[in-house]
Amino acid sequence: MDDELVGIVAHELRTPLAAILGYVEELRSGDPGPLTQEQAQFLEIVDRNAARLLGLVDDVVFLEQPSLQVAAVDLSRAAGLEDGDVTVEGDAARLEQLVQSLVSVTEADAVRVESRDGEAVVEVDGTVEPASTARARFQLALARAIATAHNGVVERDGTTFRVHIPFAQEAA
Amino acid sequence: VTEEAPVVLVADDDPDLRGLVVYRLERAGYRVLEAENGEEALRLAREERPDIAVLDVMMPRLTGVDVLRALRADDETRDTRVILLTAKSQEQDVSAGFGAGADDYVTKPFSPTELQARIAAILARR
């Protein structure tokens, strides 16, 4: 898809989602009237799924047109660990998503972050091979796209994934 | 002068989103004017002199940024406060909006409650 079309499609998808999310927020606030416990619970589900759909729209846009909100990122924190001393220039939310995607597809039980040979390395020790489901393939594609956008790479060795991210991003 | 509710102009070509903003602001006690395109927004802004206008950027006829520029160029409407509603992908609209004198912007999808809070904050600092 060309860039302009991606933008148009994303806009067309986000507008109805904005209406869904907004009206659900109003209903959940109780202003239009009291909700039963079950109605409140169902609306929470609608809200969560609409938010998920919105996230997927953003992800598809990212796959087509990667863009980063770059800042100094503590990679350990992005990887869901305690604060560490490995800092890269990157997009914190996307790097977090990268690690979460790899953890999710491999059902990983350990993540390590270290500095090695002038680059940051995140190692995700999975317990299973990534499934060939659509969801797993999408998450892997997204993980690779996020690494690429950071001038990095994702390497796979069985159930272990290693993400290499250079410390400084070259100016484009 | 009697104390009256502040007047808010809400301009969006999507009736559902416009209705959402109108609902929230009327609940909050504002008097609300509605426009479904940029031309109507500009006409209402000139005739009714709202305290603040919430303008969708991507509107037919005149965009929200066009309306904002017209308001700022006219001595009569120069002081109308303006919040732009932008799509997430339109970052250039945000810079164009601030360049044209927008007071704030909100990205779609937005929380109606947050929009209400921003309107209140802008009106409070006049």
Side-chain angles (χ1 to χ4, degrees):
Chain A
M1 259 195 278
D2 69 67
D3 281 6
E4 200 193 347
L5 193 57
V6 171
I8 292 168
V9 170
H11 180 262
E12 288 302 300
L13 290 169
R14 282 189 192 114
T15 299
L17 279 171
I20 294 169
L21 286 162
Y23 281 98
V24 167
E25 181 183 321
E26 288 297 346
L27 284 170
R28 293 182 75 197
S29 78
D31 264 11
L35 297 172
T36 66
Q37 199 181 347
E38 207 163 36
Q39 285 168 342
Q41 184 198 338
F42 289 178
L43 280 172
E44 190 273 323
I45 294 170
V46 174
D47 187 56
R48 184 155 36 80
N49 280 275
R52 183 172 154 204
L53 193 48
L54 184 67
L56 287 169
V57 171
D58 289 345
D59 290 345
V60 170
V61 171
F62 183 85
L63 285 174
E64 290 285 328
Q65 314 172 348
S67 70
L68 301 175
Q69 304 223 316
V70 178
V73 179
D74 178 334
L75 205 51
S76 299
R77 198 187 307 164
L81 306 171
E82 304 216 326
D83 291 2
D85 56 4
V86 180
T87 305
V88 296
E89 286 175 36
D91 186 316
R94 287 295 178 194
L95 288 169
E96 199 173 304
Q97 188 179 26
L98 192 176
V99 177
Q100 276 174 2
S101 295
L102 295 178
V103 167
S104 162
V105 296
T106 62
E107 296 174 26
D109 54 8
V111 177
R112 271 184 297 277
V113 174
E114 57 185 33
S115 163
R116 193 191 293 168
D117 302 330
E119 58 181 15
V121 180
V122 182
E123 192 171 288
V124 176
D125 285 339
T127 58
V128 295
E129 302 242 329
S132 56
T133 59
R135 176 156 181 79
R137 286 167 60 194
F138 182 72
Q139 286 187 301
L140 276 179
L142 198 59
R144 289 188 196 283
I146 293 168
T148 303
H150 287 84
N151 298 317
V153 289
V154 176
E155 284 175 358
R156 181 181 160 197
D157 180 7
T159 60
T160 299
F161 281 85
R162 271 178 220 94
V163 185
H164 300 257
I165 307 276
F167 284 118
Q169 301 295 320
E170 300 289 326
Chain B
V1 182
T2 56
E3 219 176 297
E4 285 179 8
V7 179
V8 186
L9 168 63
V10 177
D12 195 317
D13 56 318
D14 186 293
D16 292 340
L17 278 180
R18 194 173 67 242
L20 177 66
V21 177
V22 169
Y23 174 83
R24 169 74 354 243
L25 297 180
E26 284 181 344
R27 292 291 297 200
Y30 294 104
R31 191 158 81 77
V32 182
L33 307 166
E34 291 185 59
E36 59 182 31
N37 61 57
E39 263 176 26
E40 194 184 3
L42 188 55
R43 182 178 60 76
L44 279 172
R46 284 174 171 154
E47 288 174 9
E48 304 285 336
R49 307 291 176 78
D51 298 282
I52 185 164
V54 179
L55 306 173
D56 179 34
V57 169
M58 295 250 281
M59 279 189 295
R61 307 211 185 166
L62 292 175
T63 70
V65 177
D66 294 335
V67 175
L68 168 61
R69 287 203 183 100
L71 293 176
R72 292 287 180 263
D74 183 341
D75 282 345
E76 302 286 322
T77 57
R78 173 161 301 172
D79 294 332
T80 313
R81 304 297 92 202
V82 171
I83 294 183
L84 294 176
L85 289 181
T86 71
K88 190 183 174 187
S89 49
Q90 260 80 43
E91 269 139 22
Q92 67 275 23
D93 289 345
V94 174
S95 46
F98 278 123
D103 294 275
D104 204 351
Y105 76 96
V106 171
T107 307
K108 289 183 190 177
F110 56 89
S111 152
T113 313
E114 188 193 330
L115 176 62
Q116 178 193 329
R118 288 188 188 221
I119 288 170
I122 289 172
L123 291 178
R125 69 174 184 245
R126 282 194 306 174

